[in-house]
Amino acid sequence: TTGAYRLATIDALTEAPCILAYNQDRVSLNLPPAVDDEWLQENVRAMLHSVIAWNTQNPSGGDVIQFLTDGSGHTSVSGGGSCAASLLPGNFAGQSQTLNANATWFGGAYTTYENNTQGAGFAEFPIDPRIYVQSSTTTWP
């Protein structure tokens, strides 16, 4: 709310398309654009790296990942072709935090691996607890 925010180095191929797609959907619904957050972005990178490493070694899946946000403040996808086409569309519907005007932070990445035969992506978009506290969920730190 003070206008201060953290800066993240955004990968042009795996991360920039995610924040661009997220903000395009938000702006189309007259919501303010979100800011790419370093903490969320680092967490998404770690999850993506972990899942790719796990799935490469264990094709049957079964991996466990940890989001920083509660159940309505994140989304993930296995497969597909891009962040804009696979990770974000469809995941917005019915999620209270996704298109909430107070979800002003974002971290997201989508990439392919195993010679572009597999795809995976993660995104996190918590409501800023300084602006709005959702009574049905644990307050995000």
Side-chain angles (χ1 to χ4, degrees):
T1 58
T2 67
Y5 57 92
R6 299 185 324 172
L7 298 175
T9 302
I10 302 171
D11 183 275
L13 298 176
T14 63
E15 298 165 357
C18 293
I19 186 68
L20 293 173
Y22 183 70
N23 280 336
Q24 185 175 28
D25 280 354
R26 288 177 60 84
V27 170
S28 72
L29 296 170
N30 295 318
L31 295 171
V35 174
D36 195 70
D37 180 76
E38 183 179 20
W39 188 30
L40 295 173
Q41 197 63 55
E42 288 172 0
N43 190 56
V44 165
R45 288 174 186 156
M47 289 188 302
L48 195 56
H49 176 76
S50 175
V51 165
I52 290 171
W54 175 266
N55 287 340
T56 301
Q57 297 171 16
N58 303 286
S60 61
D63 53 302
V64 177
I65 55 174
Q66 296 295 317
F67 286 95
L68 294 172
T69 52
D70 64 30
S72 60
H74 61 257
T75 189
S76 63
V77 67
S78 178
S82 72
C83 197
S86 306
L87 177 61
L88 298 175
N91 289 309
F92 281 6
Q95 292 196 29
S96 62
Q97 284 186 246
T98 310
L99 294 178
N100 187 302
N102 296 320
T104 57
W105 298 328
F106 180 84
Y110 179 92
T111 192
T112 57
Y113 59 101
E114 292 185 0
N115 297 320
N116 294 324
T117 62
Q118 303 294 321
F122 296 94
E124 295 195 83
F125 30 83
I127 290 176
D128 186 338
R130 298 170 301 172
I131 298 171
Y132 173 77
V133 177
Q134 191 174 12
S135 61
S136 63
T137 62
T138 303
T139 302
W140 190 74

